[in-house]
Amino acid sequence: MGKGSGHTAPPIEPEALSRFEELTLPHLKSLYGLAVRLTGDGAAAEDLVQETYLKALQAFPTLRNPERSRSWLFQILSRLVADKQRTGNREILTGDLTELDRFSLYHAIADEDPFPYSDHLHEDFLAHFQDEEVRRALLALPEEYRVPLVLVYAEGLSYRELATTLGCPMGTVMSRLHRGRKILERELWECAKRRGLVRTWKP
Amino acid sequence: MRQAARIGQDMEAMKPLTCEQAANQFFAYLDRALSGEPLQALEAHLETCLNCCDKLRFQRQLDDFIKARLPEARLPADLDAKIRRVLRG
């Protein structure tokens, strides 16, 4: 493992450690899946998961409800992602939020009509993207939008579970999911422009 | 008087949605987060508005399209053992 191995485990009684492993290791697969989808990289995901387990072990005495251990682990991992993103700069800019909220990929495609002879205009538009372009757009989302979207897409979390995991009200969850999707729609449109699928000028 | 006010509120709550109001509920609908009156109001709108049905179908396609392109995550065979080792210091 990489930089995550610099951290050491806090001292803990063997019984407590066994209890911790029993509660948390069954979620390793979900946690690793989330880490891969948030980082886009297997090695970085392993480091992130390792760091998550060490943080969780430190915080284990504060876990009041063992039933919640999965969302508690998701919460710790999400915070670590947020901390790391603060030092990075790869994210796309959200820009004018009012304009963003108004953007609709559906309408942009319909107005532009890039495939005039198509009977399935919107489907044909999506079919032109490579998987990697979609992944890049998702990974470039600011963390506050990427984490809830990935949790919904990959783990199927409800809005209530998301609110608990992210430690924010349901209204914030809804607005982040809305904006995250809108940013992705706009990124796909910008990507289509760069690829010459649609015009880059307006008459 | 109170009953009249309540009926008025109910009527207000069930007022048909505009296309814009309906579109604002699409993501919550796709995430199965709508219930009760908001769900009924959206479904009532969708029964009468082909444009919104079409737009909602695209939003669902787009969600499925992105979900299908999430990075693959196959758990490394030795990760469980590595984590146990790290936890033991």
Side-chain angles (χ1 to χ4, degrees):
Chain A
M1 285 194 198
K3 55 191 172 182
S5 19
H7 300 272
T8 49
I12 186 167
E13 294 295 321
E15 297 80 31
L17 180 58
S18 296
R19 176 85 181 122
F20 173 79
E21 288 176 339
E22 194 182 298
L23 275 177
T24 60
L25 284 173
H27 304 300
L28 176 60
K29 194 175 174 204
S30 294
L31 214 57
Y32 178 74
L34 178 62
V36 168
R37 281 148 188 163
L38 288 173
T39 61
D41 176 75
E46 279 200 35
D47 281 346
L48 185 58
V49 167
Q50 181 185 331
E51 233 179 301
T52 302
Y53 272 92
L54 284 172
K55 285 256 179 211
L57 185 61
Q58 269 173 352
F60 189 45
T62 66
L63 177 65
R64 296 276 166 261
N65 184 359
E67 300 282 304
R68 275 201 55 233
S69 54
R70 190 175 84 128
S71 75
W72 177 67
L73 290 167
F74 282 167
Q75 186 176 39
I76 294 170
L77 188 143
S78 307
R79 284 192 184 151
L80 284 171
V81 171
D83 290 345
K84 286 178 200 304
Q85 182 123 8
R86 270 191 271 280
T87 57
N89 59 355
R90 64 181 175 159
E91 70 184 50
I92 42 184
L93 298 171
T94 48
D96 181 334
L97 292 178
T98 314
E99 205 174 293
L100 176 71
D101 287 340
R102 272 205 302 264
F103 180 78
S104 157
L105 184 59
Y106 175 85
H107 287 129
I109 298 168
D111 292 347
E112 187 72 29
D113 196 6
F115 314 111
Y117 300 106
S118 168
D119 290 332
H120 306 283
L121 177 61
H122 291 83
E123 289 90 326
D124 288 349
F125 177 85
L126 291 182
H128 276 78
F129 289 94
Q130 292 161 11
D131 293 357
E132 203 43 47
E133 290 171 322
V134 180
R135 277 182 206 144
R136 263 204 305 273
L138 187 69
L139 284 172
L141 272 181
E143 160 280 329
E144 62 181 311
Y145 305 115
R146 183 164 33 107
V147 172
L149 259 187
V150 169
L151 283 169
V152 164
Y153 283 154
E155 298 293 332
L157 256 62
S158 69
Y159 284 10
R160 194 175 298 280
E161 288 171 309
L162 274 176
T164 310
T165 301
L166 303 176
C168 62
M170 293 255 279
T172 308
V173 165
M174 291 174 79
S175 116
R176 287 185 187 176
L177 287 170
H178 181 92
R179 293 242 162 93
R181 280 167 157 133
K182 288 289 174 186
I183 298 171
L184 273 184
E185 287 189 20
R186 195 187 56 190
E187 280 307 298
L188 290 178
W189 186 246
E190 291 301 321
C191 181
K193 281 193 204 168
R194 288 194 296 273
R195 295 256 313 272
L197 288 177
V198 292
R199 289 172 299 178
T200 54
W201 52 272
K202 283 280 165 205
Chain B
M1 190 69 177
R2 193 177 294 166
Q3 195 182 359
R6 192 168 166 179
I7 290 168
Q9 277 173 6
D10 287 350
M11 285 175 67
E12 180 68 23
M14 285 305 288
K15 226 165 75 173
L17 297 183
T18 63
C19 290
E20 193 183 347
Q21 288 168 330
N24 282 336
Q25 308 271 19
F26 283 175
F27 295 142
Y29 181 76
L30 291 173
D31 294 336
R32 300 174 195 279
L34 275 192
S35 60
E37 279 181 13
L39 177 62
Q40 283 171 20
L42 178 60
E43 286 177 341
H45 180 85
L46 290 171
E47 274 174 29
T48 60
C49 183
L50 283 179
N51 279 342
C52 280
C53 284
D54 213 28
K55 193 175 171 191
L56 177 63
R57 190 167 57 238
F58 173 68
Q59 292 297 164
R60 183 175 280 130
Q61 274 172 354
L62 188 56
D63 264 7
D64 292 343
F65 175 79
I66 294 166
K67 275 183 211 172
R69 280 153 189 81
L70 289 174
E72 286 289 320
R74 195 165 302 141
L75 185 68
D78 58 348
L79 188 56
D80 187 289
K82 277 183 185 172
I83 299 283
R84 286 177 194 273
R85 234 180 1 255
V86 167
L87 292 175
R88 276 164 177 73

